[in-house]
Amino acid sequence: MKKEKPIQRYSAPERINHWVVAFCFIVVSISGLGFFFPSFNWLMNVFGTPQLARILHPFFGVVMFASFLIMFFRYWKHNLINREDITWAKSIHKIAMNEEVGDTGRYNFGQKCVFWAAIGSLLLLLASGIVIWRPYFADAFSIPVIRLALMVHSFAAVLLIIVIMVHIYAALWVKGTITAMVEGWVPAAWAKKHHPRWYREVKAKEQERK
Ligand code: HEM
């Protein structure tokens, strides 16, 4: 039987966009943990020196937010929750055993949760980050507001770190997924197994073009 050719999932600009977000996330979360816990202060050296970390952390945070916004506008439609997602969520025990459930589209319910949690925590991080950003904006706010913003910033950062740890685990755990974001393509068998509705949509578009 003839083997089906791989399917393109991400273009080069989409992959560059994603890896810019991922790179910023890594340096910003490492330096952020460095600011937060005295025993982790050495992590500030991710930017070379603690002083540089203090200056660069917010700028890299803004770049991460802006780059994620491009991803947000590209993928939000594929991440809208539908009925199939309820089936998927109810069968999470089967998913954990590597079984597939429901007629999943481009993204499954787990991926959609990561997507919405990421945009939610990034919005909180940006808003609270501006309030605590010295020397540029913090002077415009009162001490109680700055204290509140510091708390929001810390909780949103912990949430995003946990969410991205789950995201990385899933990306590596589901065999064949990482090539999607590294090389841009996925095997047809991967698409059929994990995202059957998306597979049919891609094939229907291919037929239309012929
Ligand atoms: C640092 C290591 C990271 C790795 C190894 C990684 C890996 C991947 C992979 C393999 C995919 C393709 C999944 C698929 O198409 O089925 C993907 C998609 C995606 N990633 Fe990452 N990623 C990382 C960091 C991040 C970060 C920091 C964010 C956001 C803050 C992020 C947000 C996304 C989004 C939004 C998608 C598209 C899925 C969707 O819209 O639901 N990733 N990632």
Side-chain angles (χ1 to χ4, degrees):
M1 206 172 74
K2 216 177 114 207
K3 208 175 156 215
E4 271 188 72
K5 63 177 185 0
I7 299 174
Q8 181 166 27
R9 192 151 164 91
Y10 297 104
S11 64
E14 284 178 294
R15 280 176 277 145
I16 293 167
N17 186 175
H18 173 269
W19 292 120
V20 168
V21 174
F23 176 76
C24 292
F25 168 80
I26 288 168
V27 288
V28 162
S29 52
I30 290 178
S31 54
L33 289 171
F35 301 146
F36 202 69
F37 298 107
S39 53
F40 281 168
N41 278 172
W42 55 276
L43 289 176
M44 290 190 268
N45 292 315
V46 68
F47 279 114
T49 66
Q51 291 78 6
L52 267 178
R54 177 57 196 81
I55 294 168
L56 295 177
H57 172 100
F59 286 102
F60 275 77
V62 170
V63 173
M64 171 166 75
F65 181 85
S67 325
F68 188 82
L69 215 51
I70 302 174
M71 293 181 75
F72 177 81
F73 287 118
R74 227 175 228 155
Y75 306 129
W76 71 271
K77 271 194 189 144
H78 302 293
N79 283 288
L80 294 176
I81 311 285
N82 57 37
R83 239 193 237 139
E84 288 300 322
D85 295 319
I86 312 296
T87 316
W88 193 96
K90 278 187 183 158
S91 314
I92 193 72
H93 54 288
K94 292 189 185 160
I95 306 292
M97 301 315 281
N98 219 358
E99 258 181 67
E100 279 301 330
V101 186
D103 195 22
T104 305
R106 184 173 169 122
Y107 297 119
N108 64 38
F109 184 60
Q111 292 174 302
K112 291 178 182 180
C113 289
V114 166
F115 181 83
W116 293 108
I119 188 66
S121 47
L122 282 168
L123 281 168
L124 289 176
L125 283 164
L126 180 77
S128 56
I130 288 172
V131 174
I132 59 178
W133 195 347
R134 283 184 203 283
Y136 306 113
F137 307 107
D139 285 342
F141 300 93
S142 67
I143 296 293
V145 171
I146 292 178
R147 282 189 185 145
L148 179 69
L150 272 166
M151 210 150 87
V152 171
H153 205 72
S154 312
F155 277 113
V158 171
L159 173 70
L160 185 62
I161 291 172
I162 294 171
V163 163
I164 296 304
M165 279 163 76
V166 173
H167 175 65
I168 296 173
Y169 179 74
L172 300 174
W173 177 61
V174 181
K175 206 170 156 243
T177 304
I178 199 74
T179 61
M181 212 32 115
V182 177
E183 297 173 37
W185 57 270
V186 286
W190 179 95
K192 241 188 247 178
K193 179 170 190 249
H194 301 294
H195 302 275
R197 186 160 52 84
W198 177 67
Y199 171 80
R200 292 197 307 275
E201 285 163 7
V202 171
K203 288 290 148 184
K205 268 196 200 135
E206 269 178 21
Q207 284 302 324
E208 267 172 35
R209 264 185 255 125
K210 273 183 192 166

